[in-house]
Amino acid sequence: MTQLTINIEDKSILPHLKKILNAIEGVSIVKSSTKKKCGLEEALDDVKAGRVHHAKNVDEMFQHILGI
């Protein structure tokens, strides 16, 4: 069995596309799933978005965490 993944930006065409694909013999539609990001991927996204804080030392880090 060969599997093909299609990314669709315009959700309004999805019902029409499903109807066409269902009409083709031997083609089945599998429910789509979104891949959950692991902790490392989330951390890398935080770095890219600038959601990081650089502390000079441990005391400064705890002051930032505790809001002192």
Side-chain angles (χ1 to χ4, degrees):
M1 176 173 67
T2 303
Q3 188 173 17
L4 172 68
T5 303
I6 301 172
N7 295 319
I8 302 168
E9 291 183 24
D10 184 1
K11 291 185 179 184
S12 66
I13 66 167
L14 192 58
H16 304 292
L17 183 59
K18 284 183 178 182
K19 187 175 182 180
I20 293 168
L21 292 174
N22 281 327
I24 301 171
E25 187 175 331
V27 175
S28 61
I29 298 174
V30 180
K31 183 179 178 184
S32 63
S33 62
T34 56
K35 179 184 171 192
K36 185 176 179 185
K37 292 184 178 183
C38 70
L40 177 60
E41 291 171 325
E42 290 177 355
L44 292 173
D45 286 346
D46 286 341
V47 171
K48 287 178 187 174
R51 296 184 297 259
V52 293
H53 176 77
H54 297 280
K56 294 177 188 173
N57 54 39
V58 174
D59 292 329
E60 185 181 307
M61 180 186 70
F62 277 112
Q63 288 176 352
H64 178 74
I65 292 171
L66 299 175
I68 298 173

